[in-house]
């Protein structure tokens, strides 16, 4: 950060001279925190109507992916206790 | 010191040192998958990795490489590079724009020592916005810096351009030793209005 948390925030130490590794870690941190997305988006102005459409789309996408992942993990469980036990 | 388990294809390698959903200082690591279903497997793998990490950190504590985070500028750290503390080392500012890459080496006070860019290396126009040009700029900057007696340097990157990684690589290839990478990309909290969207 320019003046706030200088060399504390968004900083990664290089271990054993592995600069590539450190850069990958930094990139991963930044993508997880949404910094890289924000920078790419703010390169050109995004009109408010487009912004609303995008947020809506991302919400729907997030819900869809979570439900799909839930469904897949549910279906892929094979060892279940017998629901009809005792009938 | 990242403990990778071989039975999991989950990406996040920081799990051994940082628990899944804890906010740790300036870094809040959100889980990479927002899905609830996958989060179960992610957290269980985190638990497994933490157990293996606890068992292996006792053996892996030999060198001082158990921390990705920089030493805070309180009085604690005993890390020295060439006799200098972390906050006294020179800084290499790398400004990676979309059309060019500038590299400026400064002292910790801010006084400029070396300044190179893709343009000063003899590249013109479109060739400046390539990673190769950034690498040559990095090599020449490192050469000039070693001529002034600099060995260890911390890198500050600004901008998302093509020369972002290759400039750092060029610095290492030219002989400087990079000890930390900081990202100082300016992200406005909705300040100035950028230019209009391109229609290609």
């Amino acid at each position: 950060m320019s003046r706030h948390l200088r060399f504390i925030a968004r900083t990664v130490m290089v271990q054993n001279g592995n600069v590539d590794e450190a850069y990958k870690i930094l990139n991963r941190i930044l993508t997880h925190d949404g910094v890289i997305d924000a920078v790419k988006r703010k390169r050109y102005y995004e009109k408010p109507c487009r912004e609303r459409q995008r947020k809506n789309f991302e919400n729907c996408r997030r819900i869809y992916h979570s439900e799909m992942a839930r469904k897949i993990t549910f279906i892929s469980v094979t060892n279940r206790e017998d629901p009809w036990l005792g009938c | 010191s990242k403990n990778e388990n071989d039975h999991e294809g989950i990406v996040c390698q920081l799990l051994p040192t940082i628990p899944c959903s804890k906010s740790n200082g300036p870094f809040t690591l959100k889980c990479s998958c927002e899905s609830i279903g996958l989060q179960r497997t992610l957290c269980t793998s985190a638990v497994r990795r933490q157990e293996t990490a606890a068992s292996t950190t006792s053996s892996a504590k030999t060198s001082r490489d158990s921390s990705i985070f920089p030493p805070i500028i309180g009085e604690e750290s005993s890390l020295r590079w060439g006799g200098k503390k972390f906050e006294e080392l020179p800084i290499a500012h790398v400004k990676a724009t979309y059309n060019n890459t500038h590299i400026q080496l400064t002292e910790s006070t801010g006084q400029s020592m070396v300044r190179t860019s893709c343009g000063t290396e003899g590249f013109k126009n479109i060739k400046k916005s390539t990673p190769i040009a950034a690498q040559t700029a990095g090599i020449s900057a490192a050469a000039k810096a070693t001529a002034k007696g600099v060995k260890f340097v911390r890198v500050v990157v600004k901008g998302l351009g093509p020369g972002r990684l290759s400039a750092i690589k060029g610095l290492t290839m030219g002989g400087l030793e990079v000890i930390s990478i900081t990202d100082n990309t300016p992200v406005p909290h909705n300040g100035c209005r950028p230019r209009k969207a391109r229609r290609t």
Side-chain angles (χ1 to χ4, degrees):
Chain A
M1 303 268 199
S2 62
R3 288 294 152 198
H4 316 290
L5 300 176
R6 219 171 169 221
F7 292 105
I8 302 178
R10 300 194 247 167
T11 308
V12 167
M13 303 295 283
V14 168
Q15 296 181 357
N16 298 333
N18 261 344
V19 177
D20 293 330
E21 195 72 55
Y23 183 77
K24 262 195 227 172
I25 294 175
L26 182 67
N27 240 354
R28 195 177 300 139
I29 292 178
L30 293 175
T31 38
H32 282 325
D33 290 348
V35 175
I36 303 228
D37 281 340
V39 169
K40 279 195 198 150
R41 213 179 301 128
K42 291 199 188 290
R43 188 178 175 198
Y44 304 112
Y45 182 64
E46 184 184 26
K47 290 187 180 172
C49 67
R50 304 279 300 156
E51 187 181 342
R52 269 178 265 128
Q53 288 172 356
R54 179 184 51 89
K55 284 205 152 72
N56 214 357
F57 170 74
E58 280 179 5
N59 273 339
C60 297
R61 191 164 163 263
R62 184 174 299 133
I63 294 171
Y64 176 82
H65 284 328
S66 67
E67 289 299 310
M68 184 57 94
R70 213 173 119 231
K71 177 176 182 177
I72 290 174
T73 48
F74 178 75
I75 291 178
S76 58
V77 169
T78 46
N79 278 344
R80 259 179 253 251
E81 70 260 16
D82 187 9
W84 305 107
L85 193 62
C87 295
Chain B
S1 68
K2 283 173 287 301
N3 302 307
E4 280 185 6
N5 273 342
D6 36 7
H7 59 270
E8 221 75 44
I10 294 180
V11 182
C12 191
Q13 289 177 350
L14 286 175
L15 281 175
T17 51
I18 308 172
C20 195
S21 51
K22 190 162 102 167
S23 70
N24 197 353
F27 302 123
T28 38
L29 234 209
K30 302 178 201 123
C31 280
S32 58
C33 35
E34 287 102 12
S35 56
I36 311 163
L38 276 183
Q39 198 159 32
R40 237 187 299 135
T41 52
L42 188 66
C43 284
T44 51
S45 79
V47 167
R48 257 179 268 150
R49 282 187 206 204
Q50 277 177 337
E51 287 166 357
T52 54
S55 59
T56 53
T57 40
S58 51
S59 55
K61 273 279 186 177
T62 51
S63 46
R64 57 167 181 221
D65 57 353
S66 47
S67 144
I68 308 175
F69 300 116
I72 308 180
I73 314 183
E75 296 292 331
E76 304 163 353
S77 75
S78 58
L79 304 169
R80 299 282 181 273
W81 290 271
K84 292 192 181 168
K85 284 199 232 178
F86 183 72
E87 52 264 22
E88 293 161 14
L89 288 166
I91 312 171
H93 288 97
V94 172
K95 179 172 181 180
T97 57
Y98 293 101
N99 290 329
N100 202 342
T101 312
H102 304 254
I103 302 180
Q104 184 167 33
L105 253 115
T106 74
E107 297 278 354
S108 57
T109 50
Q111 273 202 323
S112 166
M113 297 194 294
V114 173
R115 201 156 94 176
T116 35
S117 77
C118 300
T120 57
E121 298 306 298
F123 293 95
K124 299 245 182 251
N125 299 331
I126 200 174
K127 304 219 180 67
K128 294 190 292 193
S129 58
T130 49
I132 303 165
Q135 194 176 21
T136 46
I139 295 176
S140 95
K144 291 181 188 173
T146 44
K148 294 202 170 182
V150 173
K151 265 185 243 111
F152 299 96
V153 87
R154 17 176 197 162
V155 172
V156 173
V157 199
K158 200 179 264 201
L160 291 177
R164 201 165 124 107
L165 172 61
S166 44
I168 315 177
K169 272 216 190 129
L171 286 175
T172 41
M173 280 170 58
L176 283 185
E177 172 117 11
V178 171
I179 57 156
S180 80
I181 311 179
T182 323
D183 178 89
N184 199 5
T185 321
V187 57
H189 301 324
N190 287 353
C192 302
R193 179 169 168 150
R195 55 158 291 182
K196 66 179 183 182
R198 294 178 74 207
R199 293 180 299 280
T200 48

